[in-house]
Amino acid sequence: MEGRQRRSFTDDYKRQAVDLVASSGRSIGSVAKELGLRDSVLRRWVEQREARLEPTAATRRPTTQATLPSADHAAEIARLQRENERLRMERDILKNCPAQWRACAA
């Protein structure tokens, strides 16, 4: 009996998939299903990235009210920026995915 061939993914693809999880607000399971991945694979990529990107107190910059026009405008701008980033990543992932997956996404 033949074993399944192991798939390999580029670092860029992994980064985009993890970014999609972070920016979309959806569960790892739903994003993994959409991309045709196992939950455990995508969860491992997310955990590896989180381990590398632990923020330190020196790298965090406080946001002051003086830099924001108003709380409502700032919240709307932040929401739109997150949505733009999520849409760009979804587009890039679909653009770079193998041809056999593109037929399913349409």
Side-chain angles (χ1 to χ4, degrees):
M1 184 173 178
E2 290 184 28
R4 290 176 33 178
Q5 188 174 11
R6 188 176 191 149
R7 296 187 296 174
S8 63
F9 300 94
T10 65
D11 289 338
D12 188 47
Y13 183 84
K14 292 177 186 179
R15 181 187 51 77
Q16 289 177 356
V18 170
D19 288 344
L20 181 59
V21 170
S23 66
S24 70
R26 294 183 298 165
S27 70
I28 290 175
S30 68
V31 174
K33 185 176 181 180
E34 178 182 321
L35 297 175
L37 299 170
R38 298 184 80 139
D39 296 5
S40 59
V41 171
L42 186 54
R43 183 171 290 108
R44 185 174 55 242
W45 295 349
V46 169
E47 290 170 355
Q48 287 171 349
R49 180 163 182 201
E50 287 173 353
R52 286 192 309 264
L53 296 180
E54 284 297 318
T56 62
T59 60
R60 283 185 252 143
R61 290 179 35 204
T63 304
T64 62
Q65 191 65 16
T67 62
L68 302 175
S70 74
D72 291 339
H73 288 194
E76 180 67 7
I77 289 169
R79 185 189 69 76
L80 291 171
Q81 287 173 336
R82 285 191 307 271
E83 183 179 357
N84 269 344
E85 183 178 340
R86 180 182 59 81
L87 292 171
R88 281 188 192 109
M89 285 188 219
E90 287 178 354
R91 179 202 62 203
D92 292 343
I93 287 172
L94 290 173
K95 199 186 306 182
N96 294 328
C97 73
Q100 68 266 18
W101 293 354
R102 271 184 255 168
C104 297

